[in-house]
Amino acid sequence: PGNITSLLGDISGIQIQQSSAVSGNSNVRIQGLGGKYTQVLRDGLPLYEGFSGGFGILQVPPLDLKQIEIIKGSASTLYGEGAIGGIINLVSKDPGEKNEGSVTLNQSSLTERNFNGYCSVKKNKRGATIFSGVTYQNPVDVDEDGFSDVPKIQSLVIHPRLFFFPSEKTKLAIGFSSTYEDRRGGDMKALNDNPDSLHAFFEENKTDRNTGDVIFTHVFSNKNLLTAKGCGSYFDR
């Protein structure tokens, strides 16, 4: 799939609710609570701070994900008030002993096109993974009422990670993620650059998110594990 919508929408207790007919924005609701009460994590870190209630969460491609962990119910003791509804943790792939490469190309009947690529390499005590994805969609008026039901979307996602394995029990991962998205919806005449006094309404949202993260793990024994994590984010809408 081109995004994680199909992975989340089929799970009981989770609803994908469209909150803007113009821009196509959707919220992830867990157990009936609003989207702002769903905490979205990447490898256990809040790289998508407040992302569940904003644009783009459904644009996250699953190509470089190993699994998605979901905790329903209040987890605010550990993750703050943004996790009252629950947590969605996106777990990235680590480089394996064999090199890996994947490419997906999707074309929908609503003119959505996306191209995603992922590869991972590992040699001796070092490894790397990189994911890149591009999405482009034209505005579409499905019910022919003059307003876009599907907005115009242009997005780019880049997610490289470096891995260091000093020993069999120690791992250091350094990652960076950059997401840019431009959404535009509204009156079809305005979107097609033909506005007039009766057809001038449109809404445009440009988002730019850059995050960096560091994860260090060391296994002392079967019962003792040390994990240290840190991240930083820059978000502009």
Side-chain angles (χ1 to χ4, degrees):
N3 55 59
I4 63 175
T5 307
S6 59
L7 302 179
L8 297 177
D10 296 334
I11 300 175
S12 62
I14 297 181
Q15 297 86 35
I16 308 299
Q17 181 186 35
Q18 184 170 335
S19 58
S20 174
V22 175
S23 62
N25 177 32
S26 297
N27 291 332
V28 182
R29 301 171 63 101
I30 295 182
Q31 295 184 337
L33 293 177
K36 65 179 181 179
Y37 298 116
T38 300
Q39 179 72 279
V40 181
L41 306 176
R42 181 84 183 213
D43 299 317
L45 294 168
L47 300 186
Y48 301 126
E49 188 69 32
F51 214 26
S52 60
F55 303 101
I57 179 60
L58 301 184
Q59 300 300 115
V60 176
L63 195 60
D64 67 335
L65 298 181
K66 179 173 63 176
Q67 64 190 44
I68 295 180
E69 301 172 343
I70 298 175
I71 301 176
K72 299 178 184 178
S74 177
S76 58
T77 302
L78 292 176
Y79 297 100
E81 62 181 6
I84 294 176
I87 291 174
I88 299 174
N89 185 29
L90 309 177
V91 182
S92 304
K93 292 181 181 179
D94 290 351
E97 297 300 328
K98 295 183 179 180
N99 297 342
E100 178 185 356
S102 303
V103 174
T104 63
L105 177 63
N106 293 299
Q107 170 73 50
S108 76
S109 59
L110 294 177
T111 72
E112 180 185 9
R113 299 178 290 274
N114 60 64
F115 175 82
N116 301 316
Y118 168 81
C119 69
S120 68
V121 295
K122 184 179 181 181
K123 186 176 182 181
N124 299 328
K125 297 183 178 181
R126 293 174 296 176
T129 64
I130 183 170
F131 167 83
S132 181
V134 178
T135 299
Y136 181 82
Q137 177 170 311
N138 292 317
V140 180
D141 180 12
V142 178
D143 55 9
E144 298 182 355
D145 63 350
F147 291 90
S148 61
D149 298 291
V150 178
K152 179 180 181 180
I153 300 176
Q154 295 176 321
S155 68
L156 172 65
V157 180
I158 300 176
H159 184 217
R161 302 181 80 201
L162 297 176
F163 295 83
F164 301 92
F165 306 93
S167 65
E168 294 183 356
K169 297 183 178 181
T170 305
K171 181 181 73 172
L172 174 64
I174 302 175
F176 173 78
S177 179
S178 179
T179 303
Y180 173 79
E181 183 176 88
D182 184 3
R183 284 175 175 249
R184 190 178 186 187
D187 193 293
M188 292 297 293
K189 288 189 176 182
L191 297 180
N192 293 326
D193 297 325
N194 294 314
D196 54 36
S197 59
L198 297 178
H199 304 277
F201 169 74
F202 72 92
E203 177 183 326
E204 185 171 16
N205 292 272
K206 295 183 179 180
T207 58
D208 184 15
R209 180 183 296 271
N210 296 278
T211 61
D213 61 279
V214 178
I215 302 176
F216 173 83
T217 58
H218 180 75
V219 180
F220 293 99
S221 64
N222 293 333
K223 296 183 179 180
N224 297 288
L225 170 68
L226 171 65
T227 302
K229 301 179 180 181
C231 67
S233 299
Y234 170 80
F235 177 55
D236 179 69
R237 176 180 298 164

